[in-house]
Amino acid sequence: MSEAKIEIKNLYKVFGDHPSKVIELVQDGISKTDLLEKHGHILGLKDISLKIPNREIQVIMGLSGSGKSTLIRHINRLIEPTAGEIWIDNEDVTAMSQAALRDLRRFKTSMVFQKFALLPHRTVIENVAYGLSMQGVPEAEAHKRAMHWIERVELNGFENNYPGQLSGGMQQRVGLARALATDAEILLMDEAFSALDPLIRTGMQNILLGLQEELHKTIVFITHDLDEALRLGDNIAILRDGEMVQDGSPQDIVMRPADDYVSEFIKDINRGRVIKVGSLADPAASASDGAPIIVADTALETALSTLVAAPGQSCRITKKDGSDLGTLTLERAVAALHAPAG
Amino acid sequence: MDFFLEFPELGRHTLAAMRKAIDTSFIHFSREYGAALEAFFYPLLQFMIWFEKLLLSTPWPIILLIIGGLAWFGSRSVKITVGSVIAMALIGIFGMWEDTMATLAIVSVATLLCVVIGIPIGIVMARFERAQSVITPILDVMQTIPSFVYLIPVVMLLGIGKVPGLLAVCIYAIPPIVRLTNLGIRLVDRDVLEAADAFGASPRQKLFSVQVPLALPNIFAGVNQTIMMALSMVVIASMIGVRGLGVPVLKAISNQYLSLGLMNGLAIVALAIIFDRVSQTYGQRLQAYRKGFGDE
Ligand SMILES: Nc1ncnc2c1ncn2[C@@H]1O[C@H](COP(=O)(O)OP(=O)(O)OP(=O)(O)O)[C@@H](O)[C@H]1O
Ligand SMILES: [Mg+2]
């Protein structure tokens, strides 16, 4: 894992009239129900700590009401924390003045919203240029740059339409272009694709992955959909009732679910596609001579046919640079395809 | 038993003394500050006089042309434009041109004043809860108190003439624009506001790039209502010396001239309809972006 771009440290959020009065109770571990019934406050987030690596896609996942939106809005401080800190590039966001915070939002972070949140009275190009005009870029230049991003999300020809004249998928492409146009290093996406039809949604995921391959932004992506999380995420954090239950790579989550909540989440997924052979290699065992070589980040699903055909039904697993990781047997591979007991 | 049949009111002398005390102190106040107030409103008076003269000295064909042009600019509707010009021509033919110009002058100036003062007040109300809780009851009083009641102090302070007439019209006509500006801004979608925040908009940028533009249709409905209410005050304003279509109506009431009253009344109605249609269609065009393809 590379160095952290965003670091969230012991973040708490309590909703209610006097959060500061009950925060100590929360820090002492009072339950969400007790807090609500005895003290009339809602526990939004509880002791969240998370390092979000630079230039990777961090997915935050959880059921409705688990605090995903609350968490992502703390990163650009659209919501004030009750306790805890958020650091971006070694700067404490929670300590920033209003002016510094505005600069952070103008230059360093940008956001894509579940309900698009476009300006209905402005055309597509004016919407895409919105962040640039907040940065103080002159209009002609802003429109020129906006046009570039409109082309990137394949909306050319629609730049003078109003959002109300576009389909949901097109509107969200405007939302994406608006966020990308500011050249911010951090992209915050709150269920950005959840309101779209499955097919369009897959299309948007492809657009995002394609752009990420060349842009390498730090993306925080919220979803309640595991398939989406596994497709996009370099890392996945799972929230439940405002607490973080697990944080790791997709493989970690699939192979070593932290608890029943996570197991329940992953029970229907195609494990063969998520698990990479690298994580299954057994350094102790030695492969028979002439065993085929498989690169570590090959999906298990793809490796199976090679394994079946291999002499002794085992293969050598190597990293991309050729260094040896160990051996994988068919037996071990098949075992990994089944969920851990329970 | 008597106690329950007769309301236990303050003694007659007490009440009389009280009223007298208030009246005399107000008279003192108006003697003291009347001149200063008049001086304060002097530029406004000059402006009104200038505007009325302008309307009256401009040749009628040009006025008709301007009215037609404004109607077209506002509504983009041939029907409304032609209708407006015909109505104005009829008004002229029936000998009410000058009075109509005078009425047009006061209504325009009053509306302008209401917009200039009312929109900022509405914005402040939308921004601060406290402002809203203080201003709302004041607006309620302004709208419900019979106009004759506030004519009294206005006339005591400023005498009879254009300025007190203008003030009376404005007091009556300003509440809708304030209310609808406030409402319009409060109704702006919270998601859109959050997006503006997320891109680093300052409160000021948010106001002018998001809140006011999205509140415009409502603000415009307020302008429309303000115009209508200003027109409906024309007769009352003429009681304190404002020239215009109200004057012949007053004369008709006291002398029982049915046709004179009816004609001038209908002229007021014609003006009202023109203003209403033009400003309403303009307000609707402001919302064109809400519709799908094929609309302007
Ligand atoms: N402004 C608020 N006041 C009070 N409670 C709130 C507020 N915002 C959020 N909550 C509560 O905090 C919890 C987490 O809400 P949040 O919107 O972050 O969930 P979420 O994971 O984004 O859910 P969804 O998938 O439905 O968007 C919920 O219990 C919600 O009721
Ligand atoms: Mg949410």
Side-chain angles (χ1 to χ4, degrees):
Chain A
M1 194 190 285
S2 50
E3 84 275 27
K5 179 81 172 172
I6 305 169
E7 188 171 357
I8 297 166
K9 293 180 183 168
N10 305 99
L11 185 70
Y12 287 84
K13 178 66 189 180
V14 177
F15 292 106
D17 296 334
H18 307 288
S20 53
K21 286 192 182 152
V22 296
I23 182 66
E24 279 180 18
L25 294 171
V26 176
Q27 282 167 336
D28 288 343
I30 189 175
S31 78
K32 188 169 175 157
T33 354
D34 277 355
L35 183 71
L36 184 59
E37 282 170 7
K38 297 196 185 127
H39 303 276
H41 282 68
I42 297 169
L43 181 56
L45 293 173
K46 183 177 177 183
D47 199 14
I48 305 281
S49 293
L50 179 65
K51 284 184 183 167
I52 297 175
N54 198 11
R55 300 178 173 284
E56 290 185 9
I57 302 185
Q58 169 76 52
V59 168
I60 296 171
M61 204 172 66
L63 298 178
S64 190
S66 55
K68 307 182 294 292
S69 296
T70 309
L71 179 57
I72 202 171
R73 276 164 179 70
H74 275 89
I75 295 176
N76 57 358
R77 228 174 95 191
L78 286 174
I79 297 181
E80 295 287 336
T82 310
E85 293 168 6
I86 294 125
W87 290 74
I88 296 180
D89 286 339
N90 300 320
E91 260 190 299
D92 186 359
V93 176
T94 44
M96 282 183 180
S97 66
Q98 285 301 317
L101 189 57
R102 273 202 293 277
D103 273 347
L104 176 89
R105 292 171 181 169
R106 282 175 186 166
F107 295 98
K108 203 163 252 178
T109 67
S110 62
M111 203 161 184
V112 186
F113 300 86
Q114 178 170 7
K115 289 185 222 141
F116 319 142
L118 301 174
L119 306 176
H121 61 296
R122 295 193 171 201
T123 59
V124 167
I125 193 162
E126 288 166 345
N127 264 286
V128 176
Y130 187 72
L132 292 171
S133 66
M134 291 299 117
Q135 290 181 346
V137 177
E139 191 177 301
E141 168 71 14
H143 277 215
K144 208 178 91 195
R145 284 203 237 163
M147 203 54 221
H148 167 74
W149 289 105
I150 290 173
E151 279 161 17
R152 289 307 303 266
V153 298
E154 291 161 29
L155 278 178
N156 5 359
F158 291 96
E159 58 271 12
N160 293 320
N161 284 104
Y162 287 98
Q165 300 171 324
L166 306 181
S167 70
M170 290 160 90
Q171 288 190 41
Q172 194 56 306
R173 278 187 271 157
V174 178
L176 187 59
R178 174 175 68 175
L180 292 171
T182 63
D183 275 333
E185 299 158 19
I186 298 172
L187 195 54
L188 305 172
M189 306 181 74
D190 185 6
E191 303 212 28
F193 304 152
S194 299
L196 307 175
D197 296 336
L199 254 170
I200 301 202
R201 188 167 175 166
T202 316
M204 288 296 287
Q205 291 166 0
N206 290 335
I207 292 179
L208 183 67
L209 286 173
L211 287 166
Q212 174 66 354
E213 242 173 57
E214 81 188 68
L215 300 174
H216 299 295
K217 290 184 184 286
T218 305
I219 300 180
V220 182
F221 193 99
I222 303 259
T223 180
H224 57 241
D225 177 65
L226 186 71
D227 284 324
E228 188 166 66
L230 293 173
R231 257 200 98 194
L232 299 178
D234 297 311
N235 296 287
I236 300 179
I238 298 179
L239 286 184
R240 175 197 194 178
D241 290 341
E243 288 182 70
M244 189 139 80
V245 288
Q246 192 168 7
D247 161 33
S249 69
Q251 296 203 68
D252 281 343
I253 307 272
V254 171
M255 295 182 64
R256 286 174 288 277
D259 62 9
D260 291 350
Y261 179 79
V262 182
S263 308
E264 188 62 25
F265 246 115
I266 59 170
K267 74 176 196 297
D268 292 327
I269 58 134
N270 180 349
R271 298 166 61 85
R273 194 174 296 167
V274 179
I275 300 172
K276 307 282 187 274
V277 289
S279 64
L280 295 173
D282 179 0
S286 58
S288 53
D289 284 340
I293 295 174
I294 307 178
V295 182
D297 63 357
T298 311
L300 187 51
E301 196 180 50
T302 332
L304 278 180
S305 53
T306 322
L307 268 175
V308 171
Q313 298 186 322
S314 68
C315 294
R316 258 180 56 214
I317 311 293
T318 63
K319 284 196 200 163
K320 267 196 185 121
D321 59 19
S323 60
D324 202 58
L325 277 177
T327 327
L328 173 61
T329 62
L330 181 61
E331 196 183 346
R332 203 177 158 89
V334 171
L337 283 178
H338 292 286
Chain B
M1 209 52 206
D2 277 358
F3 181 81
F4 293 103
L5 292 176
E6 290 273 329
F7 202 94
E9 56 190 18
L10 291 172
R12 194 198 290 218
H13 294 290
T14 329
L15 281 174
M18 215 175 75
R19 282 199 295 262
K20 197 163 168 216
I22 293 174
D23 288 353
T24 44
S25 61
F26 191 77
I27 288 171
H28 279 303
F29 174 81
S30 65
R31 283 214 189 107
E32 196 109 344
Y33 295 102
L37 274 174
E38 252 170 61
F40 177 75
F41 286 116
Y42 185 73
L44 198 61
L45 178 66
Q46 288 301 307
F47 179 67
M48 277 182 68
I49 291 173
W50 170 80
F51 192 61
E52 199 180 318
K53 267 204 188 128
L54 182 75
L55 284 181
L56 281 170
S57 60
T58 311
W60 61 265
I62 295 184
I63 299 270
L64 275 189
L65 218 66
I66 292 174
I67 286 176
L70 285 178
W72 174 252
F73 169 78
S75 66
R76 294 287 149 85
S77 148
V78 179
K79 218 167 85 187
I80 292 176
T81 309
V82 172
S84 304
V85 173
I86 291 180
M88 290 305 290
L90 283 176
I91 284 173
I93 290 171
F94 283 101
M96 297 176 288
W97 187 261
E98 295 202 352
D99 283 340
T100 302
M101 288 304 113
T103 294
L104 217 53
I106 183 153
V107 169
S108 311
V109 175
T111 305
L112 200 71
L113 204 62
C114 288
V115 166
V116 169
I117 298 173
I119 291 181
I121 295 179
I123 290 174
V124 170
M125 267 173 94
R127 184 84 171 271
F128 305 103
E129 287 311 315
R130 254 209 97 78
Q132 164 160 280
S133 61
V134 172
I135 296 172
T136 306
I138 299 179
L139 295 179
D140 291 339
V141 172
M142 284 165 75
Q143 272 185 308
T144 45
I145 199 167
S147 344
F148 291 105
V149 175
Y150 56 77
L151 282 187
I152 303 166
V154 168
V155 171
M156 281 170 78
L157 276 175
L158 296 163
I160 285 208
K162 284 192 187 348
V163 168
L166 183 69
L167 285 190
V169 173
C170 282
I171 292 174
Y172 184 68
I174 204 171
I177 179 100
V178 177
R179 277 189 212 279
L180 281 157
T181 302
N182 174 34
L183 182 74
I185 290 180
R186 281 172 186 269
L187 285 181
V188 169
D189 192 355
R190 285 192 44 206
D191 292 338
V192 179
L193 284 179
E194 186 179 50
D197 274 331
F199 282 94
S202 63
R204 205 190 155 78
Q205 287 171 321
K206 229 168 30 178
L207 182 67
F208 290 112
S209 72
V210 181
Q211 290 172 303
V212 169
L214 286 180
L216 263 189
N218 272 313
I219 294 178
F220 222 78
V223 174
N224 176 46
Q225 284 191 28
T226 290
I227 297 175
M228 293 301 111
M229 293 180 74
L231 261 176
S232 68
M233 274 294 279
V234 160
V235 177
I236 290 177
S238 69
M239 294 175 67
I240 53 172
V242 175
R243 302 199 317 125
L245 290 166
V247 179
V249 173
L250 268 191
K251 200 159 87 186
I253 294 174
S254 45
N255 297 314
Q256 303 184 353
Y257 296 151
L258 176 63
S259 55
L260 181 72
L262 210 58
M263 262 165 49
N264 285 277
L266 285 177
I268 294 177
V269 172
L271 280 185
I273 292 177
I274 294 174
F275 275 130
D276 183 57
R277 290 300 177 279
V278 172
S279 62
Q280 254 188 36
T281 41
Y282 182 69
Q284 280 161 12
R285 284 204 302 121
L286 284 179
Q287 310 188 59
Y289 61 80
R290 289 178 196 274
K291 299 187 208 135
F293 278 111
D295 298 284
E296 213 188 331

